């Protein structure tokens, strides 16, 4: 069956469009942790492959951004014309500026160097997050747990000073050994602190006991003085009566 040229061309165009949609890879949802310029290039490549028209461009763009970014763009109150041309110079700069204001991403190198163990944070959780930051700073380091800077930063950020001093006396070959030793030392310190608390209670009881004896002794002496001053005092029987 021979189709008219226009219908045949339309079928070929539809087949090409279907093929492009099949190979097109949608970009990930944009968050403030991503580089906006790079993400936009991926998004524009995607909408071109799937043939998204200007009428649907804004809605497609908004469906690929996080809720936080969505609210920021909505606050711009773009006109219908601006929404159809979000990649035009002026409109695009407004969108970029709105997202930049909310971009509070801190240099991972800074976060890594000044990362300290938080209150009630376990040693394992602290080390895990520190290792993640170190991997961002040294992405090409294949043996990240042997990184000397990671080990030193781990020890320097330990919240317990007594534990940190103990760890500084060791020479760890990797982070795993440092974590295991830190946990063992920490358990030992906790046990010692518990025992010390129990023994510290005894002197308190002894002090109270001694104080009571001193009080009883003072009362006896007072009674002796009082009895001795009485008019019916008889020599020789006073000590016995007292």
């Amino acid at each position: 069956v021979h189709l008219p040229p226009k219908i045949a061309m339309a079928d070929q165009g539809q087949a090409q469009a279907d093929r492009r949609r099949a190979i097109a890879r949608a970009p990930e949802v944009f968050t403030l942790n991503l580089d906006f310029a790079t993400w936009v290039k991926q998004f524009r490549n995607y909408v071109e492959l799937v043939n998204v028209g200007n009428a649907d461009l804004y809605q497609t763009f908004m469906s690929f951004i996080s809720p936080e970014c969505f609210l920021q763009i909505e606050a711009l109150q773009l006109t219908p014309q601006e929404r159809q041309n979000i990649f035009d110079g002026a409109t695009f700069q407004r969108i970029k500026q709105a997202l930049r204001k909310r971009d509070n991403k801190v240099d991972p190198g800074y976060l890594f160097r000044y990362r300290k163990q938080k209150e009630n944070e376990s040693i394992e959780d602290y080390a895990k997050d520190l290792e993640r930051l170190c991997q961002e700073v040294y992405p090409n380091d294949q043996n990240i747990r042997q990184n000397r800077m990671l080990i030193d930063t781990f020890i320097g950020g330990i919240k317990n000073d007594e534990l940190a001093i103990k760890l500084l006396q060791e020479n760890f070959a990797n982070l795993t050994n440092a974590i295991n030793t830190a946990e063992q030392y920490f358990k030992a310190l906790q046990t010692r602190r518990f025992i010390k608390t129990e023994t510290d209670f005894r002197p308190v009881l002894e002090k109270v006991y001694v104080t009571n004896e001193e009080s009883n002794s003072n009362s006896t002496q007072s009674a002796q003085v009082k009895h001795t001053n009485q008019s019916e005092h008889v020599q020789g029987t006073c000590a016995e009566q007292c």
Side-chain angles (χ1 to χ4, degrees):
V1 178
H2 296 284
L3 297 174
K6 290 185 178 180
I7 297 179
M9 291 178 63
D11 289 343
Q12 290 177 1
Q14 183 63 41
Q16 291 177 356
D18 293 340
R19 193 159 50 248
R20 286 197 300 268
R21 291 191 184 93
I23 64 174
R25 181 179 178 181
E28 62 180 310
V29 173
F30 177 77
T31 64
L32 296 178
N33 294 325
L34 299 176
D35 180 70
F36 184 64
T38 303
W39 182 87
V40 166
K41 290 179 181 179
Q42 295 176 329
F43 176 77
R44 296 189 70 168
N45 183 65
Y46 171 74
V47 296
E48 183 179 345
L49 283 173
V50 299
N51 198 27
V52 176
N54 287 340
D56 302 321
L57 188 59
Y58 178 77
Q59 286 79 5
T60 306
F61 173 79
M62 296 296 280
S63 67
F64 277 94
I65 62 178
S66 68
E68 184 180 13
C69 298
F70 183 94
L71 295 175
Q72 287 299 111
I73 303 302
E74 281 287 280
L76 297 177
Q77 298 182 346
L78 300 177
T79 65
Q81 183 177 359
E82 288 175 326
R83 293 188 178 193
Q84 291 186 9
N85 301 278
I86 59 173
F87 294 124
D88 281 354
T91 305
F92 181 73
Q93 288 301 321
R94 289 184 64 193
I95 293 175
K96 186 177 179 181
Q97 186 66 26
L99 296 179
R100 183 179 299 169
K101 289 180 180 178
R102 299 285 293 180
D103 190 354
N104 295 322
K105 187 177 180 181
V106 182
D107 176 34
Y110 176 87
L111 294 177
F112 171 68
R113 288 192 300 272
Y114 295 98
R115 177 67 163 90
K116 305 294 182 184
Q117 185 182 14
K118 301 175 184 177
E119 190 73 32
N120 298 324
E121 183 180 33
S122 68
I123 293 175
E124 183 179 359
D125 290 342
Y126 161 61
K128 184 177 180 180
D129 188 57
L130 195 63
E131 182 179 359
R132 176 188 63 80
L133 292 171
C134 186
Q135 192 69 69
E136 291 186 27
V137 179
Y138 305 101
N140 298 323
D141 194 339
Q142 299 299 321
N143 299 310
I144 197 67
R145 286 213 159 197
Q146 297 179 12
N147 187 293
R148 191 72 251 166
M149 185 65 70
L150 173 60
I151 298 171
D152 293 342
T153 305
F154 167 75
I155 297 174
I158 290 289
K159 187 172 182 62
N160 187 298
D161 292 337
E162 190 173 358
L163 174 58
I165 292 174
K166 285 280 189 182
L167 296 176
L168 284 172
Q169 297 172 0
E170 304 287 344
N171 185 21
F172 300 107
N174 54 63
L175 181 64
T176 303
N177 292 344
I179 294 172
N180 293 337
T181 304
E183 289 178 337
Q184 292 174 5
Y185 275 146
F186 184 70
K187 289 179 182 178
L189 288 173
Q190 291 295 98
T191 303
R192 194 185 73 176
R193 187 169 291 111
F194 174 76
I195 295 175
K196 185 177 180 181
T197 302
E198 291 295 316
T199 55
D200 283 351
F201 189 66
R202 294 176 187 173
V204 177
L205 293 178
E206 292 172 1
K207 185 175 181 181
V208 172
Y209 178 73
V210 170
T211 303
N212 287 339
E213 279 191 340
E214 292 173 352
S215 177
N216 293 335
S217 176
N218 292 336
S219 299
T220 302
Q221 292 176 4
S222 298
Q224 287 179 330
V225 173
K226 182 177 180 181
H227 176 75
T228 304
N229 292 335
Q230 291 179 350
S231 57
E232 63 271 15
H233 168 65
V234 181
Q235 184 70 26
T237 61
C238 176
E240 183 180 349
Q241 293 182 28
C242 286

